[in-house]
Amino acid sequence: MTANAHSLVAARALDAVDQADAALVDAHLEQCEFCADELVRLSAATEHLAAIAAEQPPPGLRADILAVIGMTPQFRPRVPTDRAAPPTGRPDQTGQHDGSARLGQAGLGRARPTPGLPGRGRQGGPGGRRRRPGARHALVGVAAAAVLAAGAALGTVTINQRAELADTRAQVTDAQALAASALTVADSAPVAGGGQLTMANAGNLAVVSARDLPPLDAGKVYQLWLLGPAGARSAGLTAGNSRSADWVVGNVGDAEKVALTVEPAGGSAQPTTDPVGAVALKAHQSAGRKQG
Amino acid sequence: MEADQIQAAALRALPGTGDGVCGPTPETLLARTGRGDTDAFGALYDQLAARVYGLVRRVVRDPAQAEEVTQEVFVGVWQEAPRFDPARGSVTGWVSTMAHRRAVDRVRSVEAQRARDVRVAARSTARPHDQVAEQVETRLEHERIRGCLGDLTATQRESITLAYYSGYTYREVAELLELPVGTVKTRMRDGLSRLSDCMGGRS
Ligand SMILES: [Zn+2]
């Protein structure tokens, strides 16, 4: 069903359009000055709606976010083009800010498609929305994806293995300490059957990203391991039937590589199958070695 | 401590005098953030966090998910800051739009796992305003906005709030309200238009 773009400007201002309609309207906005102006006007009204919903966030969130941005590189400034152009210019392919707030165009506001959420969540709020466990840990995953910047899509964050909050915080602290020493993409390796395992590491910290993994039978998950002279140490699980994950792995210690295996749901204490993918940790640190 | 210092300290401690009104604007803070200034980013967070989190939580409802989305938004702000073009609109508008779209995306991504319940949705949008600690000037402004919202027809208001606060598409709103799609599109347009006029084009 194709709607008339002209009639959808208000719905666009409210983000009450699906992606197909959004694309339709956005294309129209570039050609119809009337609708572009209308969108600016109606978006001002939605800002009032945003204002009256204000509510103080939990106090811990600020520190979490500051920790994450401490390890998240910024995009480079865009080469200035014609600033005098009317606000009908289209966002470029990187989806960056380009007046999208006012224009209601895609821009940053359009998060990447999120894959199916893991099935481990319990029923959440009054709408029955699922709460994802390990939320804080997942937040770190956002940074992980950002740091990797190896074509891995930011935003497709999945849940890591259940970890203690304190543990997560310790990792973030590691990350902060290492922010100065640039995390570099160490390596990337294909996963047997499809998908990619990518890792960046610096010092005692590794950021591992798995993408497009082959689907697993029910009751199976992917498990990430640190492999070293001392054997295998679990570094995380994919959530439910999720086919991608980001892990921030602290206390890398003397591990030589990270490897991914298929394990029963809930994970195993030690790998029970052969790895489907592995990436070597290149930078071994001599100091600050911590065995977790 | 000198008397005037004490007075100055006391003034600083007063709610509503320390931030937003007299402090740097979001525009200034974002520009500094764009140059990698994390202190400026922190101050920007302090100014916008309630707006972002409140809006996101209104849409996704679940507090844990609201935290996640809020973090996504602010990490996005951090990353995009060097590219923000102030000629294109306000920082607050930009961040609000980003927050809303991400919240809506989140809510729609869990759609398949969630039965949409009309009554729950209606109840949630009709829910009285949360007990937010608001500054006086903010409270007055918000009263004005709510007043304008109250002046809309019921269908206009429902169409707008189901879409904006619950993340429904116009087609879903039409189903929920048992109205033709065309009617809902018109109500959304007229409602937003009236809201905008009522607020005198302020933002
Ligand atoms: Zn038009």
Side-chain angles (χ1 to χ4, degrees):
Chain A
M1 173 179 176
T2 306
N4 173 8
H6 209 77
S7 71
L8 283 175
V9 176
R12 184 73 180 103
L14 290 162
D15 295 326
V17 286
D18 60 23
Q19 291 194 15
D21 280 332
L24 187 79
V25 180
D26 292 349
H28 176 71
L29 290 169
E30 292 178 34
Q31 282 146 24
C32 180
E33 206 172 324
F34 175 84
C35 283
D37 289 346
E38 183 78 343
L39 186 68
V40 171
R41 193 172 73 89
L42 299 180
S43 295
T46 63
E47 271 191 54
H48 297 308
L49 297 174
I52 55 174
E55 181 184 340
Q56 288 301 328
L61 187 60
R62 188 184 197 276
D64 285 355
I65 289 177
L66 285 174
V68 168
I69 65 131
M71 59 181 283
T72 305
Q74 292 181 302
F75 296 142
R76 294 167 58 190
R78 209 152 25 118
V79 177
T81 50
D82 182 11
R83 276 179 169 249
T88 47
R90 60 179 311 142
D92 72 13
Q93 290 82 344
T94 59
Q96 69 202 24
H97 168 73
D98 194 11
S100 52
R102 292 305 182 149
L103 271 179
Q105 292 182 351
L108 228 206
R110 173 58 61 191
R112 295 76 178 158
T114 307
L117 287 174
R120 299 195 298 148
R122 61 172 170 79
Q123 291 300 109
R129 290 179 173 128
R130 282 170 183 276
R131 179 187 192 281
R132 301 202 295 172
R136 300 256 179 200
H137 214 82
L139 300 182
V140 178
V142 174
V147 170
L148 282 172
L154 171 65
T156 51
V157 178
T158 55
I159 302 304
N160 299 326
Q161 166 66 325
R162 185 83 207 138
E164 294 305 317
L165 187 59
D167 195 32
T168 306
R169 290 197 191 284
Q171 291 177 13
V172 170
T173 308
D174 268 352
Q176 274 182 305
L178 290 162
S181 63
L183 274 167
T184 52
V185 173
D187 210 351
S188 185
V191 173
Q196 197 80 13
L197 195 62
T198 308
M199 185 188 61
N201 71 296
N204 215 21
L205 178 85
V207 183
V208 183
S209 175
R211 288 289 178 274
D212 304 319
L213 300 171
L216 294 175
D217 296 336
K220 300 280 186 189
V221 294
Y222 290 98
Q223 187 163 7
L224 186 76
W225 304 92
L226 284 169
L227 303 181
R233 179 158 61 96
S234 176
L237 293 177
T238 53
N241 58 359
S242 181
R243 297 175 52 197
S244 63
D246 300 299
W247 295 278
V248 176
V249 184
N251 298 337
V252 166
D254 53 3
E256 287 152 359
K257 59 181 174 181
V258 295
L260 201 62
T261 65
V262 177
E263 303 292 341
S268 305
Q270 288 291 311
T272 61
T273 61
D274 291 334
V276 292
V279 183
L281 285 148
K282 286 196 174 132
H284 273 255
Q285 62 289 337
S286 50
R289 183 172 293 183
K290 286 180 281 183
Q291 216 29 44
Chain B
M1 199 192 275
E2 297 295 325
D4 55 346
Q5 286 178 309
I6 294 168
Q7 192 182 11
L11 274 174
R12 277 196 301 277
L14 275 180
T17 58
D19 64 299
V21 183
C22 304
T25 63
E27 270 64 25
T28 305
L29 293 171
L30 189 81
R32 283 167 53 196
T33 299
R35 298 191 289 272
D37 182 339
T38 52
D39 289 340
F41 177 82
L44 185 66
Y45 175 88
D46 292 338
Q47 285 194 14
L48 298 180
R51 188 185 183 96
V52 169
Y53 177 78
L55 178 57
V56 168
R57 197 172 101 76
R58 179 67 81 93
V59 175
V60 306
R61 291 185 228 167
D62 176 59
Q65 290 206 33
E67 275 193 65
E68 283 181 44
V69 174
T70 301
Q71 172 149 348
E72 283 178 29
V73 170
F74 277 103
V75 171
V77 167
W78 165 255
Q79 291 184 298
E80 291 283 339
R83 293 176 165 176
F84 181 79
D85 181 354
R88 305 283 197 186
S90 77
V91 168
T92 304
W94 175 54
V95 174
S96 304
T97 299
M98 198 191 305
H100 189 256
R101 290 199 183 161
R102 293 215 171 199
V104 165
D105 280 346
R106 173 63 66 99
V107 121
R108 289 182 192 160
S109 75
V110 298
E111 203 67 347
Q113 302 181 27
R114 169 175 98 87
R116 288 215 148 185
D117 185 317
V118 180
R119 285 160 307 166
V120 170
R123 208 162 48 232
S124 107
T125 52
R127 164 184 96 171
H129 183 64
D130 288 312
Q131 322 79 305
V132 182
E134 291 171 344
Q135 295 170 9
V136 176
E137 62 269 32
T138 312
R139 187 193 307 277
L140 290 175
E141 181 75 358
H142 289 187
E143 286 311 323
R144 229 163 80 76
I145 298 169
R146 288 191 200 99
C148 289
L149 205 47
D151 286 345
L152 305 182
T153 69
T155 320
Q156 287 171 350
R157 190 168 50 249
E158 283 167 5
S159 299
I160 286 174
T161 54
L162 281 170
Y164 196 73
Y165 291 136
S166 297
Y168 291 103
T169 66
Y170 68 92
R171 290 197 184 102
E172 291 171 321
V173 171
E175 275 178 46
L176 291 169
L177 297 181
E178 296 176 338
L179 289 170
V181 163
T183 305
V184 166
K185 289 194 284 189
T186 309
R187 295 296 175 272
M188 285 177 172
R189 195 206 153 276
D190 293 348
L192 280 184
S193 205
R194 273 176 72 173
L195 189 56
S196 175
D197 290 345
C198 178
M199 291 300 294
R202 300 164 23 151
S203 66

